[in-house]
Every structure is written in structure tokens, then in C-alpha cells.
Amino acid sequence: MTVTVAVLGSTGSIGTQTLDVVRSAPGRYRVESLAAARSVDLIAAQAEEFRPRWVALVDGSRARELAGRLPEGTELVVGSEALADLARRADVTVNAVVGFAGLGVTLAALAAGKRLALANKESLIAAGPVVQPLRDTPGAELIPVDSEHCAIHQCLRAARRGPDGRTMQVSRLVVTASGGPFRGRSAAELGHVTLEEALNHPTWSMGPKITVDSSTLMNKGLEVIEAHELFGVDYDDIDVVVHPQSIVHSMVEYTDGSTIAQISRPDMRLPIGYALAYPDRLDTAFGAMDWTGTTRLDFEPPDRKAFRCLDLAYRAGRTGGGAPAFLSAANEVAVEAFLAGRIGWSAIAEIVEDSLDRYEAVEAVTVEEVLLADAAGRREARASLAAR
Ligand code: MG
């Protein structure tokens, strides 16, 4: 039977690669809906090719421009609530919406008992306590579309499960990090790095915000929080190891000392295809290894003094409640300031730390509370920025 798919955030990097995966498996998936924030040209071309029932545009002011360009049989819907509606209908929703707007999609798909292929990090990092209870909805499934979490998900298939379905005998998760463009540099050397250098990621091609987050290791810290939320493993049992080749995407260590790793060339179509096909697998190999030449796999501990954002994320994760939302928001403000040339690279961690020092504990079990924690993080980071 053909599986219907909602590709929400279809014009971004994950969205376009999702459509690539769909193309690679003719007859297996039908794109039921596409959604973008405002990229009219690209989404019109995608609609022409995939003939979805619905196309959603978040930015209503551009709707008229798109309406005349959609193929017959495709209906245009507008606004972020429309995206949540589409997530309730499809068998699988790929949530590749950028930022907070993606939370509504996550909540809608899970509450409707559908499969959610989650690429929107904010959903779990900022709003983990809001999302968690909905995972118990009958039929609801959350499969991560992040290379590290996809790897852990695969490695955990080797685990024994208790009667409640929880994995047993897992001693720790090992999340790998490429180390970003500044791996090996001392804290002193990092005082002089430029924006251009920060945007030059060695293995993955991504947007500017996440590329900067990779250079500070904040992205890895946020992924540790994501792993904690997804797999229910204590922070003390989640380690980060730097692995510059980005071939081992993460590992799970079991109580008998065995470590199971997932290995492939960096290609996001693999985790996307995994999330679509699970528990089955796609017939198209994305990122398959070539062992005919010499392959080196290096591992080293992260330099936590030079890359302070990593421990700041652990600190916020352990604090729990609204702290991860607060941290993520403060980091966004700091990264924006860095991208605008207002502060140096080292100031990102300083501003986040300074903000976190002023965090006042709040719950984050409702969307409103998460938004308050987010607003507080932004406010404190701006205050910290202004005081410099
Ligand atoms: Mg990742």
C-alpha cells in the first residue's frame, strides 16, 4: 500500500532531500502535502512534479502569487495552523519546519496517532516536556531525522526490551561530533576566528545558524538534550566524542562492554529514508561505504574548555524544565549577533553562560510556558549583549 507523506518545510535542505528519497522509491510513497514558509517558485515546481492534494504556505501575503501556479487538483491552504492540519492527515509527516513554528506540527502528528519523522530540533529540545506525553498516543511514533539520533535508534535495535517496551542493559549513548571547522584550536586561537571560517563546515552543508552551532559545539550539546528526550537516558550516561570523518554517526554501549555503531557516509537521505521506511528499509542505498580504499576513523574527546557551549547545554539539560528552551533562545540571539558581525565567536559562549546564570526556574509543560522560557532566554541574552 502506498504511504502518504506530508513534507512540511519542503523547500529547505531536509525537505528537498526527502523528495529525493520519495523519487528513489517509485510507488512506495505519495506526497500528499507540501509546505513552505514563503519560497513560492520552488514549491510551485515541487507541486508540479508531485501533484500533492494540498500545498501550504505559512506567509499568507504570498498566497495569491502561488495560487495561480498550482496544478489542477492541488488546493492551497495558508497559515501555520494549516500545517498542523496536514500533519493530522498524512500517514507520515516529515517535520522539517524551521524553528518554533515546527512545534505545532509535532504536536498535531503525535496527537493524531501518526508517524512523525522529526527534523525540527526545537520540538524536543525546547518543548520536550510538552511533546513527551503525546508519544503515548496509540499509533503515534516519533522517528528522529538527525544523523546521530537515527544512528542511536538503529543501534538500540540490538537491545533487549522490557515488558514496558523500554530498552534494557544500555550503559551509555556515545554521540559523535565532527568537531566543526575549529577542531584542535586552543581557546586563545579561537579568540580570532572569523565568520567566514565558522561558516565553512568540513563535512556537512547546512544553513548558517546550525553551521555556527556546529563550530561552537552548541549543536552537539543540543543533540545531547535531544538524545536524552528521545531515548530516556540520563545525562551522566550520554557522552560526546569527536570523530572528524563523520562516518560513525553515533554508538550505543551495552552493559557487557559491547559497543554497536552505525556507519555510513554523511548523507541525510539515509536518516530520512530510515524514518520513512522503519521498521523496513529502503532498497536504495544512500551513503553506503566504499571499503576498497583505506578508511581512517579517528576519535578524540572534545576540548570542553575551548568549546564551552557543550557543557552549557549539559547544564541546561540537567536543570530541565524551561532551561533548555531558555538556553536555545539565548544561543539564537548570540548567534544572530555573531552572524551580524556584532560580536566575536568566543562571545557566543560568554553570552549564553551569562544568560544562563540569570535563569529563573520555570516549568515547561505547556506551550505557553515554553514560549515564556524562550522569551526569557532572548531577553537575558539581549541584556548581556547590550552590557558588552
Ligand atoms: Mg546532527
Side-chain angles (χ1 to χ4, degrees):
M1 236 188 60
T2 308
V3 174
T4 60
V5 183
V7 187
L8 308 183
S10 66
T11 56
S13 166
I14 296 293
T16 54
Q17 293 184 83
T18 300
L19 295 176
D20 241 11
V21 171
V22 170
R23 276 187 203 103
S24 79
R28 187 163 182 166
Y29 302 106
R30 187 167 61 75
V31 176
E32 182 181 73
S33 55
L34 295 167
R38 60 190 67 80
S39 304
V40 168
D41 288 339
L42 184 50
I43 205 167
Q46 291 175 340
E48 191 58 43
E49 179 182 353
F50 290 95
R51 304 288 172 129
R53 274 191 72 183
W54 295 282
V55 160
L57 207 58
V58 178
D59 182 353
S61 70
R62 305 206 59 185
R64 187 186 296 225
E65 201 184 320
L66 178 60
R69 298 173 57 182
L70 293 178
E72 204 170 320
T74 296
E75 190 188 329
L76 177 64
V77 289
V78 173
S80 40
E81 189 42 43
L83 269 63
D85 260 344
L86 299 176
R88 285 182 198 103
R89 295 172 199 263
D91 296 329
V92 183
T93 291
V94 177
N95 183 358
V97 175
V98 176
F100 238 98
L103 179 58
V105 167
T106 290
L107 300 176
L110 293 176
K114 297 299 179 72
R115 172 173 301 183
L116 174 68
L118 184 63
N120 173 270
K121 286 180 189 262
E122 285 78 3
S123 294
L124 275 179
I125 293 161
V130 184
V131 174
Q132 290 299 4
L134 293 174
R135 292 175 72 184
D136 295 332
T137 311
E141 276 181 303
L142 199 173
I143 315 281
V145 179
D146 198 344
S147 57
E148 296 79 1
H149 305 83
C150 172
I152 293 168
H153 196 276
Q154 297 193 49
C155 298
L156 284 174
R157 289 171 82 169
R160 245 185 79 199
R161 300 205 177 241
D164 58 354
R166 288 178 68 90
T167 50
M168 297 167 71
Q169 299 170 333
V170 169
S171 58
R172 61 180 173 144
L173 308 182
V174 182
V175 179
T176 54
S178 70
F182 303 143
R183 182 179 59 89
R185 298 205 199 179
S186 68
E189 288 167 328
L190 287 167
H192 312 287
V193 299
T194 64
L195 178 56
E196 287 67 34
E197 289 175 284
L199 291 178
N200 188 16
H201 193 278
T203 46
W204 297 98
S205 162
M206 307 171 290
K209 159 71 168 54
I210 188 168
T211 304
V212 173
D213 283 347
S214 296
S215 78
T216 61
L217 292 197
M218 179 57 94
N219 182 56
K220 208 47 56 179
L222 295 175
E223 287 181 348
V224 166
I225 297 174
E226 197 181 350
H228 167 81
E229 292 291 339
L230 273 168
F231 305 113
V233 173
D234 285 350
Y235 284 100
D236 290 347
D237 300 328
I238 306 176
D239 289 348
V240 170
V241 63
V242 173
H243 165 51
Q245 291 89 358
S246 300
I247 297 289
V248 174
H249 296 290
S250 279
M251 305 180 257
V252 173
E253 186 189 283
Y254 289 92
T255 48
D256 65 351
S258 290
T259 294
I260 309 283
Q262 187 265 331
I263 292 180
S264 56
R265 282 189 293 110
D267 188 325
M268 283 310 294
R269 291 173 300 180
L270 190 158
I272 294 166
Y274 178 85
L276 290 181
Y278 176 83
D280 202 358
R281 284 185 185 270
L282 288 182
D283 297 322
T284 311
F286 292 108
M289 291 295 295
D290 173 5
W291 299 107
T292 56
T294 303
T295 304
R296 280 192 59 113
L297 300 176
D298 295 308
F299 300 93
E300 64 195 37
D303 181 345
R304 306 184 102 100
K305 284 202 178 67
F307 299 91
R308 290 161 53 204
C309 286
L310 181 59
D311 281 337
L312 292 173
Y314 268 91
R315 178 177 151 195
R318 287 190 170 103
T319 304
F326 180 100
L327 168 97
S328 169
N331 178 61
E332 247 181 74
V333 170
V335 172
E336 270 164 32
F338 173 67
L339 286 171
R342 290 178 60 196
I343 56 169
W345 182 90
S346 305
I348 297 172
E350 289 162 17
I351 287 168
V352 173
E353 180 166 33
D354 185 47
S355 305
L356 206 52
D357 286 343
R358 293 193 301 275
Y359 170 71
E360 289 173 23
V362 288
E363 289 295 306
V365 291
T366 65
V367 176
E368 292 69 30
E369 286 168 340
V370 173
L371 290 171
L372 283 175
D374 175 277
R378 282 171 208 282
R379 190 175 60 237
E380 295 303 341
R382 286 197 191 102
S384 175
L385 202 52
R388 292 179 72 86

